[in-house]
Amino acid sequence: MASTIIPVDSFDLVIFGATGDLAMRKIFASLFRSLLAGQIPHNSRIIGAARSELSREQFCNTVRESLATFDGKAEIRKGALESFLNCLDYIRIDANGDDGWNDLSLMLAQNPNPVRAFYLSVGPSLFGGISERLAASGIALPKSRIVVEKPLGHDLASAIELNRKLSESFAEDQIFRIDHYLGKETVQNLMALRFSNALFEPVWNAQHIDHIQITVAETIGVDGRGGYYDKSGAMRDMVQNHLVQLLCLTAMEPPSRFEPNAVRDEKLKVLRALDAVDPLKVVRGQYRAAGDQSSYREEAGNTKSTTESFVALKATISNWRWSGTPFYLRTGKRLRARMSEIEIGFKAPPHSIFPDAGPISGNALVIRLQPDEGITLHMTIKEPGQGGIRLTTVPLDMSFADALGERAHNIADAYERLIMDVIRGDQTLFMRGDEVEAAWAWVDPIISTWQESREVPQPYDSGGSGPDMSLALMHNDGRRWREIEE
Ligand code: NAP
């Protein structure tokens, strides 16, 4: 089946926070790759905005340096790099003051493009002020888009307040809330797999699926972001957004079309059907020092911190499809390997006709998000050779890199895809305000009970798979986690 890139109209993209870490590490590199893929139309402008006093030339040099660091081939592709830098401009602007707003307005008015988008790559305390200013000054037009990054609040009340502030200046169909996990190729493939193969849908339910496990494991600690992370923790930083979104996409009913509100309505129904979790049954962990690696508390600069760097929990969904099938979620830092996976654990066959072959385990469908995106189906077959029937489990492996060859190298990275979707005005892979609030409503009681209780997170060793209690969470139910390995 041939696929084509859907062209976009030429655009003006203003990036607030253009000198910051996210912009320099991700946003410009993704936009550069979009240009290489022929996705940035002639005349489009990318305007960096921040308080730093920089000329256009100085700003372009900073972007050039960052591209050389994060896109190893940027220097080689010199011609393309120059075209990219030609799209750039810079404006000195203070989100909290009057400086620069008039200049931005004039710059945009000089040569307006059909699409205007504003990417707020700044701290969330600036979201309300910038959006208000954009609307009040007439810089944002009725069709302009605004992009906001996590954290989208730190609890339900602050998420409601943030949504309220954004909605004072922008309509919901103009607001793009980024969760970069949703931009990953495999996440969309999860929907393609479920809803384009008649094979899976009839068995995608509690009758056939024993349990589902979702793991997002990191090897890195919080070094460098300890101050921010210590006020957040794994529940807010990972579970409330990335893991819950993956759960929704795995559990949702088929939407009638792959359209923003059709998909988001189905995800919201899952969120609303999630049962409350007993906070004291959620496993919280915190990594301790090991060898030359420091402990979480050392990295966070808080010797008494009770913030969790690991969470494992069992979620259940009260609806017809999933009643009786638990979803186990696990995420943590400083674990054995960097991996994000969803495993669909099917039930074992109801009866074995091979009594001498021992128990037969259920099939497992593993959807790997990183590294090496791909899908594996674990099947039971006969062990080759003579001497009666012996059974063994083998993986049917579809690594995208192997299956798609050259085309796999052209897979867009999450930010690249999401930014182009903003320009297209396609919100399918972005979270709606009510989804964000529903996710907070589910995790809030867990976090507040932790805060009230005196329990501290379980210590765990760096390079392992988290606290022993996480293993027990599964073992007690007669199940086991997949190994954390690359
Ligand atoms: P950062 O490195 O601290 O950068 C902040 C940016 O905001 C800088 O460009 C800064 O430039 C600008 N800024 C600060 N105050 C301003 C003001 N009053 N007016 C105009 N510009 C102002 O932060 P970051 O890591 O890039 O993160 C940006 C946002 O993305 C945050 O909300 C963060 O939570 C979120 N996020 C970041 C990552 C990541 O990997 N970094 C991942 C996910 C989400 P000047 O000082 O020159 O003004």
Side-chain angles (χ1 to χ4, degrees), residues 220-223 285-289 294-297 299 309 333-334 458-462:
I220 53 165
V222 295
D223 203 15
Q286 194 185 69
Y287 59 83
R288 57 184 156 211
S294 12
S295 67
Y296 171 83
R297 289 179 176 187
E299 288 184 357
S309 57
K333 292 192 173 292
R334 276 282 170 75
Q458 303 290 308
Y460 63 92
D461 293 328
S462 292

Side-chain angles (χ1 to χ4, degrees), residues 16-23 25 49-52 90 93-96 120-124 126-127 149-151 228 415:
F16 286 89
T19 55
D21 175 68
L22 182 70
R25 225 161 29 82
R51 286 168 310 177
S52 300
Y90 180 78
I93 208 162
D94 183 357
N96 290 325
L120 308 198
S121 181
V122 291
L126 299 178
F127 290 175
E149 270 284 348
K150 79 167 193 180
Y228 158 77
Y415 274 98

Side-chain angles (χ1 to χ4, degrees), residues 24 28 59-68 84-85 88:
M24 287 297 166
F28 290 115
F59 177 65
C60 286
N61 283 338
T62 316
V63 173
R64 187 199 299 272
E65 280 163 27
S66 84
L67 287 178
F84 182 68
L85 297 176
L88 297 188

